[in-house]
């Protein structure tokens, strides 16, 4: 008997019992849909995070407190980075273009009778260069503001809207910790960076921040959370990294283990890739389990089907079907069920991913390779889980099968 | 005449030790081409077991079975399947039609396994159904047919590959006397056309239509070529 006949026969059997066939496929449909969706969304998240770093440009470096080794040992950071470190980098490292240390704290902010809680972010004028952040209105604070600890702020666009609605915020006063600050600018709308909404923040000179708001000074000076730096150009990234490391080692009197880590954009992208890659893998593994469960569902139903159809199997043997004919027939039924289930599931998964791509900033997408892999894997699952029931069918003794009324 | 079925010292034992059942005990039986033979005997006497051995659905525990002068003991599963497909036709008491297939498709099934081209399959299936008087029921599903009609579809299926031997285990067991006569008429015609027919039955009237009655008891051939007039006595002993 040729394969075309077997397929034809399997299709007839499966369509004769549509409800059962559909329910059997359901497990594979769900499994495949979730594999496609999880991988698609995971990769979307990866691309999204990577793009955020890429949007900073390749020349960006981050200086963060603590060494990699120390971070693995403890949560505590022994030696803080300070504003003075940032100033030293700016004045002494020639391959560096802009330096933006960052100090941040969540605080209540009031304007008139409106009160909101938002992120106060102390930094330097270079911040707008490093982040490629433009003004919507007014100006960002200047070096002079920085030197004089001026009480001026630039508002993120969301904060401006929440505090001032339609009135022009420029020249207005806001209060943080019972001190009043003058609004000198409103930032352009920029969206989130690594999960932080940059529009929901108040930008303030870092000197003002440490002296008036946080008072956050370490024994070595004004502590900062981290320092963003841009190298002069792509060729000076390595030089910048090397020079900053030397400078900071000197300043921190490092004997053996570094008190800081410098990451390039490439490093950051790599970390993002690793983290989101692991996440994607985990999601895919969970989805894979449901695909596996779907396969077991197929096996289960096929076993029931073999039992129900013993008379049919006996009859087929009596009229000339060999063991391999019967084996093939049941295998094909299992593979058709799982492959079609896989196709439908893939369709649903692709639709889900497209929906995510449309409704969220995640650029989720499904590659053709992922679809091919998913469909052939589900077909393979049918093959794998179909073997056992099909062998049971093939080995049925025709006499016993025909007698079971 | 040429022998088609030869059983030599055939035993079939189920189980072992004290609980062993000797379904066939040293059965010797030769049936020639063109014979119309009834197998009779009390329940449990081994009739169906003998039919299964003859039909290559079962292998004897010991002894030899020649089908068309070939010792089937040495044949593989595929070869046996081929023999069942080409040389043998089966008719069962419970018809065993596939419910999802039409009469025509049921009759086409043996040709599917026999590798007959699709077009020829349809023609031959329609022909076989015409031969059993069902030319107007080709596309009916089994549930849309009476018991007698279903059995006739099953007969059409059994003969569509032009078998040498037709094996029928109580083919009229589920039919009323009228449809029994119809089925027997078909068997008579088939036998007249040269097909060897072997039929298990409990009914004397059915057996009387055949040319040879073999009487089984306790897994043995007790009487062969039993005269119809001696049937009544055989039944009581
Ligand atoms: N698979 C089996 N396992 C064990 N014993 C069996 C098996 N098949 C048949 N037998 C036994 O073998 C004997 C012969 O059975 P068989 O079916 O050939 O009888 P039969 O003559 O066809 O009876 P009936 O007229 O009731 O159909 C019986 O005693 C039966 O119980
Ligand atoms: Mg019987």
């Amino acid at each position: 008997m040729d394969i075309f006949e077997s397929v034809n026969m399997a299709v007839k059997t499966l369509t004769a019992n549509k409800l059962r066939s559909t329910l059997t496929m359901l497990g594979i449909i769900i499994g495949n849909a979730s594999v496609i969706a999880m991988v698609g969304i995971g990769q979307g998240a990866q691309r999204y995070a990577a793009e955020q770093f890429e949007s900073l440009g390749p020349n960006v470096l981050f200086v963060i407190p603590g060494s990699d080794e120390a971070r693995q040992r403890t949560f505590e950071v022994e030696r803080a980075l300070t504003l003075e470190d940032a100033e030293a980098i700016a004045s002494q490292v020639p391959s560096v273009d802009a330096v933006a240390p960052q100090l941040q704290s969540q605080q209540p902010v009031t304007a008139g009778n409106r009160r909101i809680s938002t992120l106060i972010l102390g930094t330097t004028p270079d911040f707008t260069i490093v982040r490629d952040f433009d003004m919507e209105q007014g100006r960002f604070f200047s070096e002079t503001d920085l030197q004089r600890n001026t009480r001026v702020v630039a508002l993120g666009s969301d904060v401006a809207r929440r505090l001032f609605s339609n009135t022009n915020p420029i020249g207005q006063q806001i209060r943080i910790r019972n001190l009043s600050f003058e609004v000198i600018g409103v930032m352009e709308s920029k969206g989130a960076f690594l999960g932080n909404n940059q529009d929901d923040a108040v930008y303030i000179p870092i000197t003002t921040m440490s002296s008036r708001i946080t008072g956050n000074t370490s024994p070595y000076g004004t502590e900062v959370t981290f320092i963003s730096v841009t190298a002069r150009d792509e060729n000076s990234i390595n030089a910048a990294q090397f020079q900053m490391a030397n400078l900071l080692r000197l300043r921190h009197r490092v004997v053996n283990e570094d008190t800081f880590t410098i990451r390039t954009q490439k490093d950051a992208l790599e970390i993002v890739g690793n983290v989101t890659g692991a996440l994607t893998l985990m999601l895919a593994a969970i989805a894979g389990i449901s695909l596996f469960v779907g396969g077991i569902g197929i096996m289960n139903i096929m076993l029931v089907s073999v039992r129900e159809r013993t008379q049919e199997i006996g009859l087929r043997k009596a009229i000339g079907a060999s063991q391999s004919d019967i084996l093939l027939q049941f295998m094909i039924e299992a593979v058709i069920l799982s492959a079609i289930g896989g196709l439908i599931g893939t369709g649903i998964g692709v639709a889900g991913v497209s929906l995510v791509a449309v409704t969220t900033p995640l650029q989720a997408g499904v590659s053709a390779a992922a679809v091919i892999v998913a469909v052939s894997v589900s077909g393979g699952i049918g093959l794998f889980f179909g073997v056992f029931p099909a062998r049971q069918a093939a080995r049925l003794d025709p006499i016993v099968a025909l007698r079971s009324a | 005449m040429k022998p088609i079925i030869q059983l030599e010292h055939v035993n079939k034992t189920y189980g072992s030790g004290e609980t062993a059942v000797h379904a066939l005990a040293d059965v010797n039986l030769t049936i020639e081409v063109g014979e119309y033979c009834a197998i009779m005997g009390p329940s449990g006497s081994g009739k169906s077991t003998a039919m299964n051995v003859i039909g290559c659905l079962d292998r004897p525990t010991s002894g030899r079975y020649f089908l068309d002068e070939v010792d089937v003991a040495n044949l593989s599963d595929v070869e046996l399947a081929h023999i069942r497909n080409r040389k043998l036709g089966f008719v069962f008491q419970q018809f065993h039609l596939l419910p999802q297939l039409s009469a025509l498709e049921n009759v086409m099934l043996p040709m599917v396994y026999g590798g007959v081209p699709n077009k020829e399959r349809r023609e031959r299936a329609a022909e076989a159904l015409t031969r059993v008087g069902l030319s107007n029921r080709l596309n009916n599903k089994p549930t849309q047919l009476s018991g007698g009609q279903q059995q006739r579809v099953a007969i059409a299926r059994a003969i569509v590959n032009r078998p040498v031997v037709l094996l029928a285990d109580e083919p009229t067991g589920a039919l009323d006397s009228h449809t029994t006569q119809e089925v027997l008429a078909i068997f008579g015609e088939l036998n007249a056309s040269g097909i060897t027919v072997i039929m298990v039955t409990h009914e004397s009237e059915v057996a009387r239509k055949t040319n040879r009655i073999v009487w089984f008891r306790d897994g043995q051939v007790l009487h062969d070529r039993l005269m119809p007039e001696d049937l009544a006595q055989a039944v009581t002993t």
Side-chain angles (χ1 to χ4, degrees), chain A residues 5 311 316-317 319 323, chain B residues 77 84-85 96 113 121:
Chain A
E5 286 299 341
Q311 291 203 38
R316 285 180 186 275
K317 286 192 166 184
I319 63 171
Q323 291 198 12
Chain B
D77 169 69
R84 290 195 292 265
N85 185 252
H96 286 308
Y113 290 111
R121 254 183 252 162

Side-chain angles (χ1 to χ4, degrees), chain A residues 191-224:
Chain A
F193 178 73
L194 297 179
N196 284 331
N197 184 357
Q198 300 175 94
D199 301 334
D200 187 13
V202 172
Y203 300 91
I204 170 171
I206 192 166
T207 47
T208 319
M209 174 94 171
S210 63
S211 59
R212 309 278 182 178
I213 298 175
T214 56
N216 198 357
T217 47
S218 78
Y220 309 98
T222 308
E223 183 176 341
V224 299

Side-chain angles (χ1 to χ4, degrees), chain B residues 48-120:
Chain B
S48 293
T49 308
M51 289 292 269
N52 291 336
V53 169
I54 293 170
C56 299
L57 291 169
D58 205 357
R59 290 176 193 269
T61 312
S62 67
R64 314 224 301 163
Y65 167 37
F66 297 91
L67 172 64
D68 208 2
E69 295 175 337
V70 176
D71 188 345
V72 299
N74 306 322
L75 301 183
S76 69
D77 169 69
V78 175
E79 288 167 323
L80 287 177
H82 187 74
I83 285 183
R84 290 195 292 265
N85 185 252
R86 289 306 174 86
K87 293 196 171 174
L88 306 173
F90 292 87
V91 177
F92 306 94
Q93 184 176 354
Q94 308 95 322
F95 322 138
H96 286 308
L97 299 177
L98 299 194
Q100 73 268 26
L101 302 183
S102 69
L104 192 71
E105 289 169 324
N106 265 292
V107 177
M108 281 162 64
L109 212 49
M111 293 185 282
V112 171
Y113 290 111
V116 177
N118 194 16
K119 190 166 176 292
E120 190 184 336

Side-chain angles (χ1 to χ4, degrees), chain A residues 31 35 123 146 149 162 194 200 248 260 284 290 293 312 356 366 371 399:
Chain A
V35 167
T123 185
L146 204 68
N149 293 8
R162 282 161 73 200
L194 297 179
D200 187 13
L248 290 177
F260 57 90
S290 64
V293 171
E312 174 192 329
V356 167
V366 182
V371 171
I399 304 163

